Amino acid sequence: MDTRLHLLETFSMRGSDGVTYKVCGYEHLVRDESLPNAAEAHWEPTGQSEYRLASGEALDVLNDGRMRIVKSGVTLQGPTLH
């Protein structure tokens, strides 16, 4: 089964380390195999989403709306206003 990520949004959040991080929100898509003769691939949302830093690092979404960088444990709050 072919899958891909579709970028939905980007925003900035302030880390517990004082750094501002760019966060990207994605939805998971799956190829619709019911249209095998379509000229272009047709993709459908799966209902799953995920957030990553612009650098690609994975984020966990916490119950209180904050996010945590999986690799470093830094927590993010925001989004920040420009």
Side-chain angles (χ1 to χ4, degrees):
M1 179 184 308
D2 290 337
T3 61
R4 68 166 48 166
L5 292 177
H6 173 73
L7 179 65
L8 292 176
E9 61 182 337
T10 61
F11 51 91
S12 297
M13 294 183 82
R14 174 81 57 190
S16 57
D17 58 358
V19 175
T20 299
Y21 293 88
K22 182 177 178 182
V23 175
C24 301
Y26 298 92
E27 70 177 336
H28 289 245
L29 302 175
V30 63
R31 180 181 234 146
D32 184 351
E33 300 293 338
S34 70
L35 304 169
N37 297 325
E40 260 184 59
H42 185 73
W43 297 88
E44 292 288 330
T46 65
Q48 293 179 313
S49 60
E50 70 179 72
Y51 291 91
R52 297 181 183 194
L53 294 179
S55 64
E57 291 180 73
L59 297 172
D60 284 334
V61 178
L62 306 177
N63 291 337
D64 61 5
R66 295 179 303 146
M67 296 185 184
R68 181 179 19 229
I69 303 172
V70 172
K71 187 175 179 180
S72 68
V74 170
T75 56
L76 307 177
Q77 297 188 130
T80 60
L81 301 175
H82 298 281

Coordinates of all heavy atoms in Angstrom, one line a residue:
M1 N 0.8 -1.2 0.0 CA 0.0 0.0 0.0 C 0.9 1.2 0.0 O 1.8 1.4 0.8 CB -0.9 0.0 1.2 CG -1.8 1.2 1.3 SD -2.8 1.3 2.8 CE -3.6 -0.3 2.9
D2 N 0.7 2.1 -1.0 CA 1.4 3.3 -1.1 C 0.9 4.4 -0.1 O -0.4 4.6 0.0 CB 1.3 3.9 -2.5 CG 2.1 3.1 -3.5 OD1 3.0 2.4 -3.1 OD2 1.8 3.2 -4.7
T3 N 1.7 5.0 0.6 CA 1.3 6.1 1.5 C 2.2 7.3 1.3 O 3.3 7.2 0.8 CB 1.4 5.7 3.0 OG1 2.8 5.3 3.3 CG2 0.5 4.5 3.3
R4 N 1.8 8.5 1.8 CA 2.6 9.7 1.7 C 2.0 10.6 2.8 O 1.0 10.5 3.3 CB 2.5 10.3 0.3 CG 1.2 10.9 -0.1 CD 1.2 11.8 -1.3 NE 2.0 11.3 -2.4 CZ 1.9 11.8 -3.6 NH1 1.1 12.8 -3.9 NH2 2.6 11.3 -4.6
L5 N 2.9 11.7 3.0 CA 2.5 12.7 3.9 C 2.1 14.0 3.1 O 2.8 14.3 2.1 CB 3.6 13.1 4.9 CG 4.0 12.0 5.9 CD1 5.2 12.5 6.7 CD2 2.8 11.7 6.8
H6 N 1.1 14.7 3.6 CA 0.7 15.9 2.9 C 0.8 17.1 3.9 O 0.2 17.0 5.0 CB -0.8 15.8 2.4 CG -1.4 17.1 1.9 ND1 -1.0 17.6 0.7 CD2 -2.3 17.9 2.4 CE1 -1.7 18.7 0.5 NE2 -2.4 18.9 1.5
L7 N 1.6 18.1 3.6 CA 1.8 19.2 4.5 C 0.5 20.0 4.6 O -0.1 20.5 3.6 CB 2.9 20.1 4.0 CG 3.2 21.3 4.8 CD1 3.7 21.0 6.2 CD2 4.2 22.2 4.1
L8 N 0.0 20.2 5.9 CA -1.2 21.0 6.1 C -1.0 22.4 6.6 O -1.6 23.3 6.3 CB -2.1 20.2 7.1 CG -2.8 18.9 6.7 CD1 -3.5 18.3 7.9 CD2 -3.7 19.2 5.5
E9 N 0.0 22.5 7.5 CA 0.3 23.7 8.2 C 1.7 23.8 8.7 O 2.3 22.8 8.9 CB -0.7 24.0 9.3 CG -0.6 22.9 10.4 CD -1.6 23.1 11.5 OE1 -2.1 24.2 11.7 OE2 -1.9 22.1 12.2
T10 N 2.2 25.0 8.9 CA 3.4 25.3 9.6 C 3.2 26.4 10.5 O 2.4 27.4 10.2 CB 4.6 25.6 8.6 OG1 4.3 26.8 7.9 CG2 4.9 24.5 7.6
F11 N 3.9 26.4 11.6 CA 3.8 27.5 12.6 C 5.1 27.4 13.5 O 5.8 26.4 13.5 CB 2.5 27.4 13.4 CG 2.3 26.0 14.0 CD1 2.7 25.7 15.3 CD2 1.5 25.1 13.3 CE1 2.4 24.4 15.8 CE2 1.3 23.8 13.8 CZ 1.7 23.5 15.1
S12 N 5.3 28.4 14.3 CA 6.4 28.4 15.2 C 6.0 28.2 16.7 O 4.9 28.6 17.0 CB 7.1 29.8 15.2 OG 7.6 30.0 13.9
M13 N 6.8 27.5 17.4 CA 6.6 27.3 18.8 C 7.9 27.5 19.6 O 9.0 27.3 19.1 CB 6.1 25.8 19.1 CG 4.7 25.5 18.5 SD 4.1 23.9 18.9 CE 3.5 24.1 20.5
R14 N 7.7 28.0 20.8 CA 8.9 28.3 21.7 C 9.2 27.1 22.5 O 8.4 26.5 23.2 CB 8.6 29.5 22.6 CG 9.6 29.8 23.6 CD 10.8 30.6 23.1 NE 10.3 31.8 22.5 CZ 11.1 32.7 21.8 NH1 12.3 32.4 21.7 NH2 10.6 33.8 21.3
G15 N 10.5 26.7 22.5 CA 11.0 25.5 23.2 C 11.3 25.9 24.7 O 11.6 27.0 25.0
S16 N 11.3 24.9 25.5 CA 11.7 25.1 26.9 C 13.2 25.5 27.0 O 13.6 25.9 28.1 CB 11.4 23.8 27.7 OG 12.1 22.7 27.2
D17 N 13.9 25.3 25.9 CA 15.3 25.7 25.9 C 15.5 27.2 25.4 O 16.6 27.6 25.2 CB 16.1 24.8 25.0 CG 15.6 24.7 23.6 OD1 14.5 25.4 23.3 OD2 16.1 24.0 22.8
G18 N 14.3 27.9 25.1 CA 14.4 29.3 24.7 C 14.5 29.5 23.2 O 14.4 30.6 22.7
V19 N 14.6 28.4 22.5 CA 14.7 28.4 21.0 C 13.3 28.4 20.4 O 12.4 27.7 20.9 CB 15.6 27.3 20.5 CG1 15.6 27.2 19.0 CG2 17.0 27.3 21.1
T20 N 13.1 29.1 19.3 CA 11.9 29.1 18.5 C 12.1 28.0 17.4 O 13.0 28.1 16.6 CB 11.5 30.4 17.9 OG1 11.4 31.4 18.9 CG2 10.3 30.4 17.1
Y21 N 11.1 27.1 17.3 CA 11.1 26.0 16.4 C 10.0 26.1 15.3 O 8.9 26.5 15.7 CB 11.0 24.7 17.1 CG 12.1 24.3 18.0 CD1 12.2 24.7 19.3 CD2 13.2 23.6 17.5 CE1 13.2 24.4 20.1 CE2 14.3 23.2 18.3 CZ 14.3 23.6 19.6 OH 15.3 23.3 20.5
K22 N 10.3 25.7 14.1 CA 9.3 25.7 13.1 C 8.7 24.3 13.1 O 9.4 23.3 13.0 CB 9.8 26.0 11.7 CG 8.8 25.9 10.6 CD 9.4 26.3 9.2 CE 8.4 26.3 8.2 NZ 9.0 26.6 6.8
V23 N 7.3 24.2 13.3 CA 6.6 23.0 13.4 C 5.8 22.8 12.1 O 5.2 23.7 11.6 CB 5.7 22.9 14.6 CG1 4.8 21.7 14.6 CG2 6.5 23.1 15.9
C24 N 5.8 21.6 11.6 CA 5.0 21.2 10.4 C 4.0 20.1 10.7 O 4.3 19.1 11.3 CB 5.9 20.7 9.3 SG 7.2 21.8 8.8
G25 N 2.7 20.4 10.4 CA 1.6 19.4 10.6 C 1.3 18.7 9.3 O 1.1 19.4 8.2
Y26 N 1.2 17.4 9.3 CA 1.0 16.6 8.1 C -0.2 15.7 8.3 O -0.5 15.3 9.5 CB 2.2 15.7 7.9 CG 3.5 16.4 7.6 CD1 4.4 16.7 8.6 CD2 3.8 16.7 6.3 CE1 5.6 17.3 8.3 CE2 5.0 17.4 6.0 CZ 5.9 17.6 7.0 OH 7.1 18.3 6.8
E27 N -0.9 15.3 7.2 CA -1.9 14.3 7.3 C -1.4 13.1 6.4 O -0.6 13.3 5.5 CB -3.2 14.8 6.7 CG -3.3 15.0 5.2 CD -4.7 15.4 4.7 OE1 -5.7 15.1 5.4 OE2 -4.7 16.1 3.7
H28 N -1.7 11.9 6.9 CA -1.3 10.7 6.1 C -2.3 10.5 5.0 O -3.5 10.6 5.2 CB -1.3 9.5 7.1 CG -0.2 9.5 8.1 ND1 0.8 8.6 8.1 CD2 0.0 10.3 9.1 CE1 1.6 8.8 9.1 NE2 1.2 9.9 9.7
L29 N -1.8 10.2 3.8 CA -2.6 9.8 2.7 C -2.3 8.4 2.2 O -1.2 8.0 2.4 CB -2.3 10.8 1.5 CG -2.5 12.3 1.8 CD1 -2.1 13.1 0.5 CD2 -4.0 12.6 2.1
V30 N -3.3 7.8 1.6 CA -3.1 6.4 1.0 C -3.6 6.5 -0.4 O -4.6 7.1 -0.7 CB -3.8 5.4 1.9 CG1 -5.3 5.5 1.9 CG2 -3.4 4.0 1.4
R31 N -2.9 5.8 -1.3 CA -3.3 5.7 -2.7 C -4.6 5.0 -2.8 O -4.8 3.9 -2.2 CB -2.2 5.0 -3.5 CG -2.6 4.9 -4.9 CD -1.5 4.3 -5.7 NE -1.2 5.1 -6.8 CZ 0.0 5.3 -7.3 NH1 1.0 4.6 -6.9 NH2 0.2 6.1 -8.3
D32 N -5.6 5.5 -3.5 CA -6.8 4.9 -3.8 C -6.7 3.9 -4.9 O -6.6 4.3 -6.1 CB -7.9 6.0 -4.1 CG -9.3 5.4 -4.3 OD1 -9.4 4.1 -4.3 OD2 -10.2 6.2 -4.4
E33 N -6.6 2.6 -4.6 CA -6.4 1.5 -5.5 C -7.7 1.2 -6.3 O -7.6 0.4 -7.2 CB -5.9 0.3 -4.8 CG -4.6 0.5 -4.1 CD -3.4 0.8 -5.0 OE1 -3.5 0.4 -6.2 OE2 -2.4 1.4 -4.6
S34 N -8.8 1.8 -6.0 CA -10.1 1.5 -6.7 C -10.1 2.2 -8.1 O -11.0 2.0 -8.9 CB -11.3 2.0 -5.9 OG -11.4 3.4 -5.8
L35 N -9.1 3.1 -8.3 CA -9.0 3.8 -9.6 C -7.7 3.4 -10.3 O -6.9 4.2 -10.6 CB -9.1 5.3 -9.4 CG -10.3 5.8 -8.7 CD1 -10.1 7.3 -8.3 CD2 -11.5 5.6 -9.5
P36 N -7.5 2.1 -10.7 CA -6.3 1.6 -11.2 C -5.9 2.2 -12.6 O -4.7 2.3 -12.9 CB -6.4 0.1 -11.3 CG -7.9 -0.1 -11.4 CD -8.5 1.0 -10.6
N37 N -6.9 2.7 -13.4 CA -6.6 3.2 -14.7 C -6.6 4.7 -14.8 O -6.6 5.3 -15.9 CB -7.6 2.6 -15.7 CG -7.5 1.1 -15.8 OD1 -6.5 0.6 -15.7 ND2 -8.7 0.5 -16.0
A38 N -6.6 5.3 -13.6 CA -6.6 6.8 -13.6 C -5.3 7.3 -14.2 O -4.2 6.7 -13.9 CB -6.8 7.3 -12.2
A39 N -5.4 8.4 -14.9 CA -4.2 9.0 -15.5 C -3.2 9.5 -14.4 O -2.0 9.4 -14.5 CB -4.5 10.2 -16.4
E40 N -3.7 10.0 -13.3 CA -2.9 10.4 -12.1 C -3.3 9.6 -10.9 O -4.5 9.2 -10.8 CB -3.2 11.9 -11.8 CG -2.2 12.8 -12.4 CD -2.4 14.2 -12.0 OE1 -2.5 14.5 -10.7 OE2 -2.6 15.0 -12.9
A41 N -2.4 9.4 -10.0 CA -2.7 8.7 -8.8 C -3.7 9.5 -7.9 O -3.6 10.8 -7.9 CB -1.4 8.5 -8.0
H42 N -4.6 8.9 -7.3 CA -5.6 9.5 -6.5 C -5.3 9.2 -5.0 O -5.2 8.0 -4.7 CB -7.0 9.1 -6.9 CG -8.1 9.8 -6.1 ND1 -8.4 11.1 -6.4 CD2 -8.9 9.4 -5.1 CE1 -9.3 11.5 -5.5 NE2 -9.7 10.5 -4.8
W43 N -5.2 10.2 -4.2 CA -4.8 10.0 -2.8 C -5.9 10.4 -1.9 O -6.6 11.4 -2.1 CB -3.5 10.8 -2.4 CG -2.4 10.3 -3.2 CD1 -2.0 10.8 -4.5 CD2 -1.4 9.3 -2.9 NE1 -0.9 10.1 -4.9 CE2 -0.5 9.2 -4.0 CE3 -1.3 8.5 -1.8 CZ2 0.6 8.4 -3.9 CZ3 -0.2 7.6 -1.8 CH2 0.7 7.6 -2.8
E44 N -6.2 9.6 -0.8 CA -7.2 9.8 0.1 C -6.6 9.9 1.6 O -5.7 9.2 1.9 CB -8.2 8.7 0.2 CG -9.1 8.5 -1.1 CD -10.1 9.6 -1.2 OE1 -10.6 10.1 -0.2 OE2 -10.4 10.0 -2.4
P45 N -7.2 10.9 2.4 CA -6.7 11.0 3.8 C -7.1 9.7 4.6 O -8.2 9.1 4.4 CB -7.4 12.2 4.3 CG -8.3 12.7 3.2 CD -8.2 11.9 2.0
T46 N -6.2 9.4 5.5 CA -6.5 8.2 6.4 C -7.1 8.6 7.7 O -7.5 7.7 8.5 CB -5.2 7.4 6.7 OG1 -4.3 8.3 7.4 CG2 -4.5 7.0 5.4
G47 N -7.1 9.9 8.0 CA -7.6 10.4 9.3 C -6.5 10.5 10.3 O -6.7 10.9 11.5
Q48 N -5.3 10.1 10.0 CA -4.2 10.2 10.9 C -3.3 11.4 10.5 O -3.2 11.8 9.4 CB -3.2 9.0 10.8 CG -3.9 7.7 11.2 CD -2.9 6.5 11.0 OE1 -2.3 6.4 10.0 NE2 -2.8 5.7 12.1
S49 N -2.8 12.0 11.6 CA -1.9 13.2 11.3 C -0.7 13.1 12.2 O -0.7 12.3 13.2 CB -2.7 14.5 11.6 OG -3.1 14.5 13.0
E50 N 0.3 13.9 11.9 CA 1.5 13.9 12.8 C 2.2 15.3 12.6 O 1.9 16.0 11.7 CB 2.5 12.8 12.4 CG 3.2 13.0 11.1 CD 4.1 11.8 10.8 OE1 3.7 10.7 10.5 OE2 5.3 12.1 10.9
Y51 N 3.0 15.6 13.6 CA 3.7 16.8 13.6 C 5.2 16.5 13.7 O 5.6 15.6 14.4 CB 3.3 17.7 14.8 CG 1.9 18.2 14.7 CD1 0.9 17.5 15.2 CD2 1.7 19.4 14.0 CE1 -0.4 18.0 15.1 CE2 0.4 19.9 13.9 CZ -0.6 19.2 14.4 OH -1.9 19.7 14.2
R52 N 6.0 17.3 13.0 CA 7.4 17.2 13.0 C 8.0 18.6 12.9 O 7.4 19.5 12.5 CB 7.9 16.4 11.7 CG 7.5 15.0 11.6 CD 8.0 14.4 10.4 NE 7.5 13.0 10.2 CZ 8.0 12.2 9.4 NH1 9.0 12.5 8.6 NH2 7.5 10.9 9.3
L53 N 9.3 18.7 13.4 CA 10.0 19.9 13.2 C 10.3 20.0 11.7 O 10.4 19.0 11.0 CB 11.3 19.9 14.0 CG 11.1 19.9 15.5 CD1 12.5 19.9 16.2 CD2 10.3 21.1 16.0
A54 N 10.6 21.2 11.2 CA 11.0 21.5 9.8 C 12.3 20.6 9.5 O 12.4 20.2 8.3 CB 11.3 22.9 9.6
S55 N 13.1 20.3 10.5 CA 14.3 19.5 10.3 C 13.9 18.0 10.1 O 14.8 17.2 9.8 CB 15.2 19.7 11.4 OG 14.6 19.2 12.7
G56 N 12.7 17.6 10.4 CA 12.2 16.3 10.2 C 12.1 15.5 11.5 O 11.6 14.4 11.6
E57 N 12.6 16.1 12.6 CA 12.5 15.4 13.9 C 11.1 15.2 14.4 O 10.2 16.1 14.3 CB 13.3 16.1 15.0 CG 14.8 16.2 14.8 CD 15.5 16.9 15.9 OE1 15.6 16.4 17.0 OE2 15.9 18.1 15.6
A58 N 10.8 14.0 14.9 CA 9.4 13.7 15.4 C 9.0 14.4 16.6 O 9.9 14.7 17.5 CB 9.3 12.2 15.6
L59 N 7.7 14.7 16.7 CA 7.2 15.4 17.9 C 6.0 14.6 18.5 O 5.3 13.9 17.7 CB 6.6 16.8 17.5 CG 7.6 17.8 17.0 CD1 6.8 19.0 16.5 CD2 8.6 18.2 18.1
D60 N 5.9 14.6 19.8 CA 4.8 14.0 20.5 C 3.9 15.1 20.9 O 4.3 16.2 21.4 CB 5.2 13.3 21.8 CG 5.8 11.9 21.5 OD1 5.5 11.3 20.5 OD2 6.6 11.5 22.3
V61 N 2.6 15.0 20.6 CA 1.6 16.0 21.1 C 1.1 15.6 22.5 O 0.7 14.5 22.7 CB 0.4 16.0 20.1 CG1 -0.6 17.0 20.6 CG2 0.9 16.4 18.7
L62 N 1.2 16.5 23.4 CA 0.9 16.2 24.8 C -0.6 16.6 25.0 O -1.2 17.4 24.3 CB 1.8 17.0 25.8 CG 3.3 16.8 25.6 CD1 4.1 17.7 26.5 CD2 3.6 15.3 25.7
N63 N -1.2 16.1 26.1 CA -2.6 16.3 26.3 C -3.0 17.8 26.6 O -4.1 18.2 26.3 CB -3.1 15.5 27.5 CG -3.1 14.0 27.2 OD1 -3.2 13.6 26.1 ND2 -3.0 13.2 28.3
D64 N -2.0 18.6 27.0 CA -2.3 20.0 27.3 C -2.0 20.9 26.2 O -2.0 22.1 26.3 CB -1.5 20.4 28.6 CG 0.0 20.3 28.4 OD1 0.5 20.0 27.3 OD2 0.7 20.6 29.4
G65 N -1.8 20.4 25.0 CA -1.5 21.2 23.8 C -0.1 21.5 23.5 O 0.3 21.9 22.4
R66 N 0.8 21.2 24.5 CA 2.2 21.4 24.2 C 2.7 20.2 23.3 O 2.0 19.2 23.2 CB 3.0 21.4 25.5 CG 2.7 22.6 26.3 CD 3.5 22.6 27.6 NE 3.2 21.4 28.4 CZ 4.1 20.7 29.2 NH1 5.3 21.2 29.3 NH2 3.8 19.6 29.8
M67 N 3.9 20.3 22.8 CA 4.5 19.2 22.1 C 5.9 19.0 22.7 O 6.5 19.9 23.3 CB 4.7 19.6 20.6 CG 3.3 19.8 19.9 SD 3.5 20.1 18.1 CE 1.8 20.4 17.7
R68 N 6.4 17.8 22.4 CA 7.7 17.4 22.9 C 8.6 16.8 21.8 O 8.1 16.0 21.1 CB 7.6 16.4 24.1 CG 9.0 16.0 24.6 CD 8.9 15.0 25.8 NE 7.7 14.3 25.8 CZ 6.9 14.2 26.9 NH1 7.3 14.6 28.0 NH2 5.8 13.5 26.8
I69 N 9.8 17.3 21.7 CA 10.7 16.8 20.7 C 11.1 15.4 21.2 O 11.7 15.3 22.3 CB 11.9 17.7 20.4 CG1 11.4 19.1 20.0 CG2 12.9 17.1 19.4 CD1 12.6 20.1 19.9
V70 N 10.8 14.3 20.4 CA 11.1 13.0 20.9 C 12.6 12.8 21.2 O 12.9 12.2 22.3 CB 10.6 11.9 19.8 CG1 11.1 10.5 20.2 CG2 9.1 12.0 19.6
K71 N 13.5 13.2 20.3 CA 14.9 12.9 20.5 C 15.5 13.6 21.7 O 16.3 13.0 22.4 CB 15.6 13.3 19.2 CG 17.1 13.0 19.2 CD 17.7 13.3 17.8 CE 19.1 13.0 17.8 NZ 19.7 13.3 16.4
S72 N 15.1 14.9 21.9 CA 15.8 15.7 23.0 C 15.0 15.9 24.3 O 15.5 16.2 25.3 CB 16.2 17.1 22.4 OG 15.0 17.8 22.2
G73 N 13.7 15.7 24.2 CA 12.8 15.9 25.3 C 12.4 17.3 25.6 O 11.7 17.6 26.5
V74 N 12.9 18.3 24.7 CA 12.5 19.7 24.8 C 11.0 19.8 24.6 O 10.5 19.2 23.7 CB 13.3 20.5 23.8 CG1 12.7 22.0 23.7 CG2 14.8 20.5 24.1
T75 N 10.3 20.6 25.5 CA 8.9 20.8 25.3 C 8.6 22.1 24.5 O 9.4 23.1 24.7 CB 8.1 20.8 26.6 OG1 8.7 21.8 27.5 CG2 8.1 19.4 27.3
L76 N 7.6 22.1 23.7 CA 7.3 23.3 22.9 C 5.9 23.8 23.3 O 5.0 23.1 23.6 CB 7.2 22.9 21.4 CG 8.5 22.2 20.8 CD1 8.2 21.8 19.4 CD2 9.7 23.1 21.0
Q77 N 5.9 25.2 23.4 CA 4.6 25.9 23.7 C 4.4 26.9 22.6 O 5.3 27.4 22.0 CB 4.7 26.6 25.0 CG 4.9 25.7 26.2 CD 4.8 26.5 27.5 OE1 4.1 26.0 28.3 NE2 5.5 27.6 27.7
G78 N 3.1 27.2 22.4 CA 2.9 28.3 21.4 C 1.5 28.0 20.8 O 0.7 27.5 21.4
P79 N 1.3 28.4 19.5 CA 2.3 28.9 18.6 C 2.7 30.3 19.0 O 2.0 31.0 19.7 CB 1.6 28.9 17.3 CG 0.2 28.8 17.5 CD 0.0 28.2 18.9
T80 N 3.9 30.7 18.6 CA 4.4 32.1 18.8 C 3.8 33.0 17.8 O 3.6 32.7 16.6 CB 5.9 32.1 18.8 OG1 6.4 31.7 17.6 CG2 6.5 31.2 19.9
L81 N 3.7 34.3 18.1 CA 3.2 35.3 17.2 C 4.4 36.1 16.7 O 5.3 36.3 17.4 CB 2.2 36.3 17.9 CG 1.0 35.6 18.5 CD1 0.2 36.6 19.2 CD2 0.1 34.9 17.4
H82 N 4.3 36.4 15.4 CA 5.4 37.2 14.8 C 5.1 38.7 14.7 O 4.0 39.1 14.6 CB 5.7 36.7 13.4 CG 6.1 35.3 13.3 ND1 7.4 34.9 13.6 CD2 5.5 34.1 13.1 CE1 7.5 33.6 13.5 NE2 6.3 33.1 13.2

